[in-house]
Amino acid sequence: EAEVAQSPRYKITEKSQAVAFWCDPISGHATLYWYRQILGQGPELLVQFQDESVVDDSQLPKDRFSAERLKGVDSTLKIQPAELGDSAMYLCASSSNVVYFNEQFFGPGTRLTVL
Amino acid sequence: GEDVEQSLFLSVREGDSSVINCTYTDSSSTYLYWYKQEPGAGLQLLTYIFSNMDMKQDQRLTVLLNKKDKHLSLRIADTQTGDSAIYFCAESGGYSSASKIIFGSGTRLSIRP
């Protein structure tokens, strides 16, 4: 069964360091999402791609966060510099462009701890 | 802005029914969802309901929607230990990939023997 892949699964870093997360969506899925899930809360959308284009990054802290999906397939989310408040689970999801219903398929996430 | 609220915890005895409740504020919500998150895993879509429906049943799951009160519930019949997880209520204003999904904070379901 096709799945969304993410790596690494866990990342511990010190504040002011740079971190990067990688996501490989389900093959053929044109839409890719990055979410941040703070402990005890639901996921919050950071950025949404349609193929290689950003369609929504209104909640992305652009002074320190960047995201790219250069070939419209896999994607990288970067934080530089990391801050203590960035500790969270970072989830990637993908969906196809079917007309009837948009089901988002989630990866297992990357748990980031900033010390 | 849009908001989705749910209680944080629910404890039920194995074999009983679990009912998880949710309220939302966006009257233009088109789809309402229930997602399940097991420890260390991503979210899995359990079921969804279109806003013009009152009820949807899928095996042990029953979803009830009261659009007037903006209240959504998920009933799990014959709750098993494998149902222990966090359950997220969510809504979106449309069905296309461009429609943002707003999630609640999740209800942690624990099962007593």
Side-chain angles (χ1 to χ4, degrees):
Chain A
E1 184 175 300
E3 295 180 340
V4 176
Q6 290 188 247
S7 67
R9 292 293 309 277
Y10 304 91
K11 179 69 178 178
I12 301 174
T13 191
E14 295 184 344
K15 64 179 181 179
S16 79
Q17 297 298 304
V19 292
F21 314 131
W22 177 79
C23 172
D24 190 13
I26 292 173
S27 177
H29 280 192
T31 310
L32 185 147
Y33 313 80
W34 282 103
Y35 288 88
R36 177 171 58 187
Q37 185 181 16
I38 295 170
L39 190 64
Q41 298 183 19
E44 176 189 30
L45 181 69
L46 291 175
V47 61
Q48 177 181 340
F49 289 93
Q50 181 68 31
D51 298 309
E52 65 276 8
S53 301
V54 173
V55 296
D56 185 351
D57 63 355
S58 56
Q59 299 303 310
L60 188 71
K62 298 181 188 62
D63 57 335
R64 297 184 301 107
F65 286 64
S66 63
E68 60 184 16
R69 194 184 183 198
L70 293 177
K71 297 182 180 178
V73 180
D74 58 338
S75 176
T76 302
L77 178 70
K78 297 178 181 176
I79 308 174
Q80 182 173 17
E83 295 181 354
L84 295 178
D86 297 331
S87 293
M89 176 80 88
Y90 290 83
L91 295 165
C92 178
S94 69
S95 67
S96 63
N97 281 354
V98 294
V99 174
Y100 174 63
F101 178 67
N102 167 38
E103 179 175 356
Q104 295 186 22
F105 294 85
F106 284 80
T110 296
R111 181 168 294 283
L112 173 67
T113 302
V114 182
L115 303 177
Chain B
E2 305 94 341
D3 194 22
V4 177
E5 293 192 356
Q6 39 183 141
S7 53
L8 293 179
F9 300 100
L10 177 65
S11 176
V12 298
R13 195 178 303 277
E14 187 175 2
D16 287 352
S17 292
S18 305
V19 179
I20 303 172
N21 295 298
C22 165
T23 57
Y24 59 97
T25 59
D26 188 0
S27 57
S28 65
S29 296
T30 302
Y31 276 97
L32 296 122
Y33 312 83
W34 284 104
Y35 283 82
K36 178 182 181 182
Q37 186 176 35
E38 298 186 44
L43 277 70
Q44 173 194 3
L45 179 65
L46 275 181
T47 186
Y48 65 92
I49 189 168
F50 190 55
S51 58
N52 67 354
M53 300 169 63
D54 298 324
M55 185 182 84
K56 181 179 181 182
Q57 189 151 1
D58 183 2
Q59 299 182 348
R60 292 191 297 122
L61 305 178
T62 303
V63 178
L64 295 178
L65 174 61
N66 181 327
K67 197 173 180 182
K68 172 177 171 289
D69 295 338
K70 300 190 186 71
H71 182 268
L72 183 74
S73 68
L74 173 69
R75 178 177 180 268
I76 306 172
D78 187 24
T79 308
Q80 302 298 308
T81 55
D83 296 322
S84 293
I86 301 176
Y87 291 81
F88 291 92
C89 174
E91 63 90 12
S92 68
Y95 57 78
S96 75
S97 59
S99 299
K100 183 186 285 191
I101 297 180
I102 306 297
F103 291 86
S105 296
T107 298
R108 183 180 295 275
L109 176 63
S110 64
I111 315 301
R112 306 191 303 273

